[in-house]
Amino acid sequence: MTKRRIPTKRELQQLQKLYRTDKKIGQALGGVSEQLVAYWRRKKGIAPAKFPKYTQQEVRDLWERFGDDEKAGQQLGITKQAFYRWRKKYNLLEKPTILKLEQLELKFFDEQRLNRTGSNDQPAQTFFQKILAHRCGQAFVAVSDEIEVPIDYVLSISPAGITLTPPGSPESDSNSNGMQRTFDTFVEMFHDGYFQPGRVIIADTVAASAFAVTSSYVKIFDASTAGALRKGNKLSVDVTPTVKAILPALPASRRAAFDSAVAISQELEKYQDKPFSVEIAGAGLDRMNLEDRMALLSYASLFTGRAVALEPDQVYLNFLKTYADRQGPVPFSDKAVYYLDEITAHVDPKPAMFDIGRRCFISGASHFGKSHLKRVRIGPLISGSAEDLHILASALKHTQIPDTVELLVVPSDRQAYADALKRRYIHRIVEAGGRVGNVVSLPKSAPLLRNEFELTTELYHTGDWSCVASIETIARVLQEGKVTRACFDLS
C-alpha cells in the first residue's frame, strides 16, 4: 500500500482557505477523515477556521442597497440594533452613496436619480410604473391609469420550444419572411441578444414570466387573446399598485425557488380580490442563479396570477453585462414609493405541490384519492440543471423506479448534459429506470388516463392532471415510488 503524503503547513493553509472545514479538506484530499485532518492541523499549529455568520460583503451590500439598519436587518432576519453592530464591526459607518447600482456603467432613467435623492420634481414610482411610463413616452404614470404601450415581443411556449414573434405581423406571415424564431431555452435567447431591460412582453403561458428576469414587464393571456394581440403592436394596460415581497436570507443548502414562491403566494392571499403586481427583493435572491430566478418568477406568477418582477441587484447587473449586446435603461422602484403592502415571505420547511388544472395547493397524499402517479417530468425550461440531475441521481442511488411510473428528464442545456454525463448522474437515472432526453428534446410519452396524474417542474400541460413540485419533493416521491405522507416532510 502506498504511504499517504502528509500535506505541508502551507498546503494545509491553502486548503483551509479554499474548503474551510476539516471535513471538506479531507474530501478534497480523497477519503481522508475529518479527524485526521484536524490532527495534521494541530501538529502544524494551524488554528481552526473561523468565519463570521455574515460576511463584510453581505453587510456592505445590504447597507448600500437600503441605507437603513432596520430594513437591512429584515433581510437577514435580525433586529435594527443587531445589524448596526455588524455594520460597526466592519467599520461601515458612513451613509452609502445613492444606490450604487445606478452608478455601474449603465444608462438609467434621469428621473430615477432625482427621486432617489428625495427630489419632488416627479412623484415616486414603482418598478412597473417606470417601465410602462418609459415605454409609452411619458415621465409618469399613476396607479389606476389606463395606458397603451408598444409590445416588444410575443412569446408562445410549447413542448416544441419557445416561439418569438414580432408584434404587428400575423404568425403565417412571419413564418414566410423568417421574422418568427424558435428557441429551445430562455438562456439560448439571452445568448442571442434578448436579455434587454425595460421591455413589454405578452405570452400565452405563465412559464414566460421567467422572461421578467430581464427587468421587463410580462403580461400573460390565454392563447386566443395572445394570438389576437400578436397582430397589433399596442397593449392596453391598467396600472396597478405593487406589493413588495421580501425574501430573507436562506441557508446555502436550500434551493428556494419553488418554496419561496409558495411562501409569497401564501402571504398575498389576503389581497387576492385586489389588482396588484409583485416586486420581489431581499437577501434570499442573492444565492439564486439565473435559472433559479426564472423559476421563482414563473412559479410566483402561477401561484398568484399576477405580474411579477425581481428588484435589480448586483447579480442582475452581472447578467446584464454577460448577455446584453447594448446598454439600456434599468428601472428601480423609488425609495419613497407607495406600496400596497410590504410583506416578508418566510419559507415553510414543509413543501407543497400545486395542482395546475384545479389551481390549488396540495398538502397531503389524500388529495390524489385512488388516482396513481403515471409520469414524472423534469426540465428543460424550469429545471434540468446539473444540480437538479444530481438531486435525482442521489435519490435513485439505491432505488428502482416502479414499472408503472415513467420518469422523463430533459437537461436544460448542453453544459448541464455534459456535466451530468461526466459525473454519471445520467447513468444512475437510466439504471434506475428513467429516460433522459438529449438536451431539450422531450421523449415521447403516452397520454394520461382519467385516473392518472403527473408530477413536473414545468408549467405546461401534457395531460389532464399535472401537478408542479420542487425537485426535492419529486426526488422523495421517486424514492417512495408514489406520493405518500413522507413526501410532504422534507424538513
Side-chain angles (χ1 to χ4, degrees):
M1 180 181 292
T2 304
K3 186 176 180 181
R4 182 184 297 276
R5 186 180 73 85
I6 300 175
T8 64
K9 180 176 182 178
R10 181 181 178 85
E11 289 172 340
L12 275 177
Q13 288 173 331
Q14 290 175 340
L15 287 169
Q16 191 180 61
K17 287 182 180 180
L18 189 60
Y19 297 105
R20 300 194 174 195
T21 66
D22 294 337
K23 182 177 180 180
K24 290 185 177 179
I25 293 174
Q27 292 173 347
L29 291 173
V32 178
S33 69
E34 180 180 358
Q35 293 76 14
L36 183 56
V37 174
Y39 171 75
W40 289 343
R41 184 171 44 72
R42 289 193 301 270
K43 292 290 287 183
K44 297 180 183 299
I46 303 174
K50 293 184 179 180
F51 302 95
K53 187 173 182 181
Y54 307 113
T55 66
Q56 182 174 1
Q57 187 62 45
E58 287 176 316
V59 175
R60 178 185 288 112
D61 288 346
L62 288 171
W63 178 237
E64 290 177 349
R65 184 189 303 174
F66 295 101
D68 181 275
D69 291 320
E70 184 173 4
K71 289 187 175 181
Q74 287 177 351
Q75 309 298 303
L76 298 176
I78 59 178
T79 64
K80 173 182 178 181
Q81 294 78 9
F83 185 83
Y84 173 75
R85 288 194 294 270
W86 279 100
R87 188 161 60 82
K88 189 175 180 181
K89 170 184 173 68
Y90 292 127
N91 197 31
L92 300 172
L93 301 178
E94 295 184 3
K95 274 285 184 183
T97 53
I98 307 301
L99 199 64
K100 288 188 175 181
L101 295 176
E102 297 181 4
Q103 303 174 351
L104 294 175
E105 303 175 1
L106 295 169
K107 178 183 178 183
F108 302 111
F109 296 124
D110 290 337
E111 64 268 22
Q112 287 175 212
R113 298 191 181 98
L114 296 175
N115 287 332
R116 287 289 186 184
T117 59
S119 170
N120 293 322
D121 294 349
Q122 295 286 352
Q125 299 183 82
T126 65
F127 170 93
F128 291 103
Q129 286 175 279
K130 287 189 174 181
I131 288 179
L132 297 174
H134 177 72
R135 297 301 291 129
C136 68
Q138 299 181 24
F140 173 77
V141 295
V143 171
S144 76
D145 280 357
E146 184 175 343
I147 61 174
E148 280 196 342
V149 292
I151 300 170
D152 293 293
Y153 309 138
V154 181
L155 298 181
S156 179
I157 298 178
S158 69
I162 306 166
T163 302
L164 183 147
T165 307
S169 58
E171 187 174 355
S172 59
D173 292 344
S174 59
N175 280 331
S176 61
N177 61 25
M179 294 175 65
Q180 187 183 78
R181 301 191 61 185
T182 300
F183 300 88
D184 289 325
T185 65
F186 288 110
V187 175
E188 183 183 336
M189 294 179 64
F190 299 157
H191 281 295
D192 216 37
Y194 288 97
F195 197 106
Q196 301 292 342
R199 297 295 190 259
V200 174
I201 301 162
I202 64 172
D204 61 1
T205 176
V206 72
S209 297
F211 213 99
V213 77
T214 64
S215 285
S216 295
Y217 177 81
V218 179
K219 185 72 174 176
I220 308 299
F221 295 94
D222 58 71
S224 59
T225 305
L229 289 169
R230 181 187 290 115
K231 299 176 182 178
N233 56 11
K234 292 282 187 178
L235 174 66
S236 179
V237 177
D238 292 323
V239 183
T240 60
T242 299
V243 175
K244 187 168 186 177
I246 298 173
L247 289 177
L250 293 169
S253 60
R254 179 178 290 279
R255 299 184 69 247
F258 183 91
D259 294 338
S260 296
V262 172
I264 290 170
S265 67
Q266 291 174 341
E267 288 290 334
L268 295 176
E269 284 181 354
K270 57 187 175 182
Y271 293 117
Q272 284 306 309
D273 60 338
K274 297 181 180 180
F276 63 91
S277 303
V278 183
E279 180 181 332
I280 304 174
L285 297 175
D286 293 347
R287 287 192 173 98
M288 289 191 183
N289 58 26
L290 184 63
E291 289 76 11
D292 285 341
R293 290 175 178 228
M294 290 191 291
L296 172 62
L297 287 164
S298 298
Y299 289 139
S301 181
L302 173 67
F303 301 157
T304 64
R306 301 296 193 274
V308 183
L310 305 179
E311 180 183 66
D313 58 5
Q314 181 62 63
V315 176
Y316 167 79
L317 294 176
N318 292 338
F319 291 147
L320 191 62
K321 288 182 177 181
T322 301
Y323 295 110
D325 290 335
R326 61 184 178 85
Q327 297 176 352
V330 177
F332 294 85
S333 292
D334 292 325
K335 194 172 184 179
V337 73
Y338 163 78
Y339 288 109
L340 180 64
D341 195 4
E342 286 193 31
I343 58 108
T344 301
H346 296 284
V347 175
D348 189 339
K350 184 177 181 180
M353 301 177 189
F354 187 81
D355 189 328
I356 299 177
R358 296 164 180 79
R359 294 198 57 80
C360 65
F361 285 106
I362 305 167
S363 57
S366 60
H367 176 89
F368 299 102
K370 295 183 179 180
S371 298
H372 67 272
L373 177 62
K374 173 62 177 177
R375 182 164 57 236
V376 174
R377 184 162 49 89
I378 307 295
L381 291 181
I382 309 298
S383 55
S385 66
E387 185 179 355
D388 292 331
L389 298 181
H390 181 206
I391 292 172
L392 287 176
S394 298
L396 297 172
K397 187 174 183 179
H398 302 295
T399 303
Q400 194 70 20
I401 301 170
D403 294 337
T404 56
V405 178
E406 184 180 9
L407 171 61
L408 305 178
V409 181
V410 186
S412 58
D413 55 39
R414 291 179 178 82
Q415 186 61 50
Y417 187 59
D419 289 346
L421 276 175
K422 181 179 179 180
R423 292 171 171 79
R424 298 189 65 82
Y425 302 152
I426 290 178
H427 297 72
R428 200 172 297 169
I429 293 171
V430 173
E431 288 169 357
R435 289 197 289 164
V436 180
N438 185 4
V439 186
V440 304
S441 60
L442 187 67
K444 292 184 179 180
S445 56
L448 296 175
L449 301 178
R450 180 172 296 181
N451 64 337
E452 297 175 339
F453 67 92
E454 71 171 3
L455 287 182
T456 181
T457 59
E458 303 300 299
L459 303 187
Y460 57 82
H461 286 270
T462 60
D464 292 333
W465 196 352
S466 298
C467 298
V468 178
S470 68
I471 192 72
E472 293 88 353
T473 301
I474 289 177
R476 176 64 67 88
V477 171
L478 290 172
Q479 281 182 319
E480 298 289 330
K482 59 182 179 179
V483 179
T484 65
R485 180 183 299 179
C487 300
F488 292 88
D489 186 16
L490 299 183
S491 57

PDB file of all heavy atoms in Angstrom, residues 341-359:
ATOM      1  N   ASP A 341     -48.502  47.087  -0.018  1.00  0.00           N
ATOM      2  CA  ASP A 341     -48.059  46.462   1.224  1.00  0.00           C
ATOM      3  C   ASP A 341     -46.632  45.978   1.034  1.00  0.00           C
ATOM      4  O   ASP A 341     -46.169  45.802  -0.095  1.00  0.00           O
ATOM      5  CB  ASP A 341     -48.964  45.279   1.598  1.00  0.00           C
ATOM      6  CG  ASP A 341     -48.777  44.833   3.053  1.00  0.00           C
ATOM      7  OD1 ASP A 341     -48.006  45.501   3.778  1.00  0.00           O
ATOM      8  OD2 ASP A 341     -49.395  43.836   3.454  1.00  0.00           O
ATOM      9  N   GLU A 342     -45.917  45.809   2.143  1.00  0.00           N
ATOM     10  CA  GLU A 342     -44.617  45.145   2.142  1.00  0.00           C
ATOM     11  C   GLU A 342     -44.746  43.910   3.024  1.00  0.00           C
ATOM     12  O   GLU A 342     -45.055  44.015   4.205  1.00  0.00           O
ATOM     13  CB  GLU A 342     -43.510  46.064   2.678  1.00  0.00           C
ATOM     14  CG  GLU A 342     -43.084  47.147   1.721  1.00  0.00           C
ATOM     15  CD  GLU A 342     -41.792  47.838   2.137  1.00  0.00           C
ATOM     16  OE1 GLU A 342     -40.948  47.155   2.764  1.00  0.00           O
ATOM     17  OE2 GLU A 342     -41.637  49.037   1.857  1.00  0.00           O
ATOM     18  N   ILE A 343     -44.508  42.746   2.444  1.00  0.00           N
ATOM     19  CA  ILE A 343     -44.639  41.501   3.192  1.00  0.00           C
ATOM     20  C   ILE A 343     -43.287  40.795   3.238  1.00  0.00           C
ATOM     21  O   ILE A 343     -42.456  40.964   2.346  1.00  0.00           O
ATOM     22  CB  ILE A 343     -45.721  40.582   2.576  1.00  0.00           C
ATOM     23  CG1 ILE A 343     -45.405  40.264   1.100  1.00  0.00           C
ATOM     24  CG2 ILE A 343     -47.082  41.230   2.679  1.00  0.00           C
ATOM     25  CD1 ILE A 343     -44.950  38.881   0.842  1.00  0.00           C
ATOM     26  N   THR A 344     -43.058  40.036   4.288  1.00  0.00           N
ATOM     27  CA  THR A 344     -41.863  39.207   4.405  1.00  0.00           C
ATOM     28  C   THR A 344     -42.277  37.754   4.271  1.00  0.00           C
ATOM     29  O   THR A 344     -43.124  37.269   5.030  1.00  0.00           O
ATOM     30  CB  THR A 344     -41.165  39.429   5.755  1.00  0.00           C
ATOM     31  OG1 THR A 344     -40.803  40.810   5.871  1.00  0.00           O
ATOM     32  CG2 THR A 344     -39.914  38.574   5.860  1.00  0.00           C
ATOM     33  N   ALA A 345     -41.722  37.060   3.298  1.00  0.00           N
ATOM     34  CA  ALA A 345     -42.114  35.684   2.983  1.00  0.00           C
ATOM     35  C   ALA A 345     -41.118  34.716   3.612  1.00  0.00           C
ATOM     36  O   ALA A 345     -40.036  34.490   3.074  1.00  0.00           O
ATOM     37  CB  ALA A 345     -42.185  35.485   1.472  1.00  0.00           C
ATOM     38  N   HIS A 346     -41.479  34.166   4.762  1.00  0.00           N
ATOM     39  CA  HIS A 346     -40.626  33.178   5.425  1.00  0.00           C
ATOM     40  C   HIS A 346     -40.948  31.800   4.859  1.00  0.00           C
ATOM     41  O   HIS A 346     -42.101  31.372   4.867  1.00  0.00           O
ATOM     42  CB  HIS A 346     -40.857  33.202   6.935  1.00  0.00           C
ATOM     43  CG  HIS A 346     -40.466  34.491   7.579  1.00  0.00           C
ATOM     44  ND1 HIS A 346     -39.147  34.837   7.805  1.00  0.00           N
ATOM     45  CD2 HIS A 346     -41.209  35.539   8.017  1.00  0.00           C
ATOM     46  CE1 HIS A 346     -39.092  36.022   8.366  1.00  0.00           C
ATOM     47  NE2 HIS A 346     -40.326  36.482   8.513  1.00  0.00           N
ATOM     48  N   VAL A 347     -39.927  31.107   4.386  1.00  0.00           N
ATOM     49  CA  VAL A 347     -40.127  29.829   3.715  1.00  0.00           C
ATOM     50  C   VAL A 347     -40.471  28.754   4.737  1.00  0.00           C
ATOM     51  O   VAL A 347     -39.757  28.563   5.717  1.00  0.00           O
ATOM     52  CB  VAL A 347     -38.873  29.429   2.915  1.00  0.00           C
ATOM     53  CG1 VAL A 347     -39.034  28.039   2.316  1.00  0.00           C
ATOM     54  CG2 VAL A 347     -38.607  30.451   1.821  1.00  0.00           C
ATOM     55  N   ASP A 348     -41.572  28.068   4.498  1.00  0.00           N
ATOM     56  CA  ASP A 348     -42.009  26.964   5.354  1.00  0.00           C
ATOM     57  C   ASP A 348     -41.210  25.722   4.975  1.00  0.00           C
ATOM     58  O   ASP A 348     -41.161  25.364   3.802  1.00  0.00           O
ATOM     59  CB  ASP A 348     -43.502  26.719   5.141  1.00  0.00           C
ATOM     60  CG  ASP A 348     -44.088  25.729   6.147  1.00  0.00           C
ATOM     61  OD1 ASP A 348     -43.305  24.950   6.727  1.00  0.00           O
ATOM     62  OD2 ASP A 348     -45.309  25.730   6.346  1.00  0.00           O
ATOM     63  N   PRO A 349     -40.576  25.061   5.954  1.00  0.00           N
ATOM     64  CA  PRO A 349     -39.811  23.851   5.604  1.00  0.00           C
ATOM     65  C   PRO A 349     -40.678  22.724   5.071  1.00  0.00           C
ATOM     66  O   PRO A 349     -40.169  21.800   4.449  1.00  0.00           O
ATOM     67  CB  PRO A 349     -39.150  23.461   6.937  1.00  0.00           C
ATOM     68  CG  PRO A 349     -40.001  24.093   7.993  1.00  0.00           C
ATOM     69  CD  PRO A 349     -40.511  25.361   7.387  1.00  0.00           C
ATOM     70  N   LYS A 350     -41.996  22.774   5.325  1.00  0.00           N
ATOM     71  CA  LYS A 350     -42.872  21.734   4.800  1.00  0.00           C
ATOM     72  C   LYS A 350     -43.251  22.075   3.368  1.00  0.00           C
ATOM     73  O   LYS A 350     -43.873  23.095   3.098  1.00  0.00           O
ATOM     74  CB  LYS A 350     -44.139  21.618   5.650  1.00  0.00           C
ATOM     75  CG  LYS A 350     -45.048  20.479   5.207  1.00  0.00           C
ATOM     76  CD  LYS A 350     -46.260  20.361   6.117  1.00  0.00           C
ATOM     77  CE  LYS A 350     -47.151  19.215   5.678  1.00  0.00           C
ATOM     78  NZ  LYS A 350     -48.339  19.073   6.548  1.00  0.00           N
ATOM     79  N   PRO A 351     -42.866  21.265   2.394  1.00  0.00           N
ATOM     80  CA  PRO A 351     -43.101  21.603   0.988  1.00  0.00           C
ATOM     81  C   PRO A 351     -44.550  21.386   0.587  1.00  0.00           C
ATOM     82  O   PRO A 351     -45.345  20.827   1.329  1.00  0.00           O
ATOM     83  CB  PRO A 351     -42.187  20.632   0.239  1.00  0.00           C
ATOM     84  CG  PRO A 351     -42.137  19.444   1.142  1.00  0.00           C
ATOM     85  CD  PRO A 351     -42.200  19.983   2.548  1.00  0.00           C
ATOM     86  N   ALA A 352     -44.881  21.825  -0.594  1.00  0.00           N
ATOM     87  CA  ALA A 352     -46.227  21.656  -1.122  1.00  0.00           C
ATOM     88  C   ALA A 352     -46.137  21.302  -2.597  1.00  0.00           C
ATOM     89  O   ALA A 352     -45.081  21.399  -3.220  1.00  0.00           O
ATOM     90  CB  ALA A 352     -47.034  22.943  -0.929  1.00  0.00           C
ATOM     91  N   MET A 353     -47.243  20.873  -3.156  1.00  0.00           N
ATOM     92  CA  MET A 353     -47.394  20.710  -4.595  1.00  0.00           C
ATOM     93  C   MET A 353     -48.520  21.630  -5.042  1.00  0.00           C
ATOM     94  O   MET A 353     -49.322  22.087  -4.228  1.00  0.00           O
ATOM     95  CB  MET A 353     -47.733  19.266  -4.951  1.00  0.00           C
ATOM     96  CG  MET A 353     -46.714  18.240  -4.507  1.00  0.00           C
ATOM     97  SD  MET A 353     -47.242  16.552  -4.901  1.00  0.00           S
ATOM     98  CE  MET A 353     -45.993  15.602  -4.037  1.00  0.00           C
ATOM     99  N   PHE A 354     -48.578  21.893  -6.331  1.00  0.00           N
ATOM    100  CA  PHE A 354     -49.615  22.771  -6.862  1.00  0.00           C
ATOM    101  C   PHE A 354     -50.296  22.081  -8.029  1.00  0.00           C
ATOM    102  O   PHE A 354     -49.635  21.671  -8.988  1.00  0.00           O
ATOM    103  CB  PHE A 354     -49.014  24.107  -7.316  1.00  0.00           C
ATOM    104  CG  PHE A 354     -50.039  25.126  -7.716  1.00  0.00           C
ATOM    105  CD1 PHE A 354     -50.693  25.889  -6.758  1.00  0.00           C
ATOM    106  CD2 PHE A 354     -50.352  25.331  -9.055  1.00  0.00           C
ATOM    107  CE1 PHE A 354     -51.643  26.838  -7.125  1.00  0.00           C
ATOM    108  CE2 PHE A 354     -51.289  26.267  -9.431  1.00  0.00           C
ATOM    109  CZ  PHE A 354     -51.935  27.032  -8.462  1.00  0.00           C
ATOM    110  N   ASP A 355     -51.606  21.924  -7.933  1.00  0.00           N
ATOM    111  CA  ASP A 355     -52.409  21.325  -8.996  1.00  0.00           C
ATOM    112  C   ASP A 355     -52.703  22.404 -10.030  1.00  0.00           C
ATOM    113  O   ASP A 355     -53.458  23.351  -9.770  1.00  0.00           O
ATOM    114  CB  ASP A 355     -53.712  20.776  -8.391  1.00  0.00           C
ATOM    115  CG  ASP A 355     -54.501  19.932  -9.388  1.00  0.00           C
ATOM    116  OD1 ASP A 355     -54.443  20.227 -10.593  1.00  0.00           O
ATOM    117  OD2 ASP A 355     -55.194  19.003  -8.947  1.00  0.00           O
ATOM    118  N   ILE A 356     -52.073  22.294 -11.224  1.00  0.00           N
ATOM    119  CA  ILE A 356     -52.193  23.343 -12.229  1.00  0.00           C
ATOM    120  C   ILE A 356     -53.632  23.482 -12.717  1.00  0.00           C
ATOM    121  O   ILE A 356     -54.163  24.591 -12.833  1.00  0.00           O
ATOM    122  CB  ILE A 356     -51.260  23.058 -13.427  1.00  0.00           C
ATOM    123  CG1 ILE A 356     -49.800  23.029 -12.971  1.00  0.00           C
ATOM    124  CG2 ILE A 356     -51.444  24.110 -14.515  1.00  0.00           C
ATOM    125  CD1 ILE A 356     -48.822  22.692 -14.079  1.00  0.00           C
ATOM    126  N   GLY A 357     -54.293  22.359 -13.019  1.00  0.00           N
ATOM    127  CA  GLY A 357     -55.651  22.417 -13.557  1.00  0.00           C
ATOM    128  C   GLY A 357     -56.657  22.950 -12.559  1.00  0.00           C
ATOM    129  O   GLY A 357     -57.519  23.763 -12.904  1.00  0.00           O
ATOM    130  N   ARG A 358     -56.572  22.521 -11.309  1.00  0.00           N
ATOM    131  CA  ARG A 358     -57.521  22.941 -10.280  1.00  0.00           C
ATOM    132  C   ARG A 358     -57.078  24.201  -9.556  1.00  0.00           C
ATOM    133  O   ARG A 358     -57.809  24.735  -8.730  1.00  0.00           O
ATOM    134  CB  ARG A 358     -57.727  21.799  -9.274  1.00  0.00           C
ATOM    135  CG  ARG A 358     -58.364  20.571  -9.904  1.00  0.00           C
ATOM    136  CD  ARG A 358     -58.207  19.346  -9.015  1.00  0.00           C
ATOM    137  NE  ARG A 358     -58.820  18.153  -9.606  1.00  0.00           N
ATOM    138  CZ  ARG A 358     -58.271  17.419 -10.550  1.00  0.00           C
ATOM    139  NH1 ARG A 358     -57.083  17.747 -11.033  1.00  0.00           N
ATOM    140  NH2 ARG A 358     -58.888  16.346 -11.030  1.00  0.00           N
ATOM    141  N   ARG A 359     -55.854  24.665  -9.844  1.00  0.00           N
ATOM    142  CA  ARG A 359     -55.294  25.890  -9.278  1.00  0.00           C
ATOM    143  C   ARG A 359     -55.405  25.893  -7.748  1.00  0.00           C
ATOM    144  O   ARG A 359     -56.014  26.796  -7.150  1.00  0.00           O
ATOM    145  CB  ARG A 359     -55.969  27.139  -9.862  1.00  0.00           C
ATOM    146  CG  ARG A 359     -55.711  27.346 -11.342  1.00  0.00           C
ATOM    147  CD  ARG A 359     -56.002  28.775 -11.762  1.00  0.00           C
ATOM    148  NE  ARG A 359     -55.216  29.732 -10.987  1.00  0.00           N
ATOM    149  CZ  ARG A 359     -53.949  30.039 -11.218  1.00  0.00           C
ATOM    150  NH1 ARG A 359     -53.297  29.449 -12.212  1.00  0.00           N
ATOM    151  NH2 ARG A 359     -53.322  30.918 -10.464  1.00  0.00           N
TER     152      ARG A 359
END
